Amino acid sequence: MSDVTTATLTGFLIFGASVWVGGLIAIAIVARVATGALEPPVRVAFFRDLGRVYGIAGTAALALAYGTGAALLVGRAWSGPLIAAVVIAALLAATLAVGVAQARRMTRLRRRSLELLDDVALAGSVRRGSAVAHALRACIAVLSLALMALGIALGA
């Protein structure tokens, strides 16, 4: 691969990874602010819309990072760090898919809980689902940072 191709792919990799990780951080900040500033019905609608829009941008950024990272590694001998990167990338994609499905489920649960304010069982489901959502977001963040660290190590 030529130096120009390598530099171009590296630039796109950095861009994709930056948008992905920056988006995760931005969403965490927005979630904290929105929780205190928006009434529950508005907050549910806001996060539904944010998820739809960021889902496209975040998925595109992650796909760009995955594609350019893979292109930069073509022809390299398999090693411990490379195998770890592939495994973590697969785990991140799987965790993200579970997170998206869980977020959609939470939107439906939260909407129902706004209609049925006295439903104790439903409120419990929302609390448990919220805990799962936090755990999934933490896993996505840890896997993203681990993949970034491995990518840096592989690029050195």
Side-chain angles (χ1 to χ4, degrees):
M1 182 177 313
S2 74
D3 289 345
V4 171
T5 301
T6 299
T8 302
L9 288 171
T10 301
F12 281 119
L13 172 63
I14 291 169
F15 175 75
S18 297
V19 170
W20 174 253
V21 172
L24 293 177
I25 293 167
I27 287 174
I29 293 167
V30 167
R32 179 170 283 282
V33 172
T35 298
L38 300 176
E39 293 299 318
V42 175
R43 189 169 57 237
V44 170
F46 172 77
F47 280 109
R48 182 196 64 231
D49 292 346
L50 177 64
R52 287 179 178 162
V53 173
Y54 183 73
I56 294 167
T59 300
L62 189 59
L64 178 64
Y66 275 19
T68 54
L72 287 165
L73 295 172
V74 166
R76 288 185 92 164
W78 286 92
S79 63
L82 181 54
I83 292 167
V86 170
V87 169
I88 289 173
L91 286 172
L92 174 57
T95 305
L96 184 59
V98 170
V100 168
Q102 197 270 349
R104 289 179 178 157
R105 181 178 164 282
M106 285 303 297
T107 297
R108 288 189 301 274
L109 272 176
R110 288 184 197 279
R111 276 192 193 155
R112 279 190 36 219
S113 73
L114 291 172
E115 295 167 1
L116 305 169
L117 295 173
D118 296 332
D119 190 328
V120 176
L122 183 57
S125 293
V126 169
R127 275 193 307 281
R128 286 186 300 279
S130 181
V132 169
H134 283 92
L136 283 167
R137 283 195 302 268
C139 285
I140 289 167
V142 167
L143 290 167
S144 296
L145 294 175
L147 186 56
M148 185 180 282
L150 282 166
I152 291 166
L154 287 165

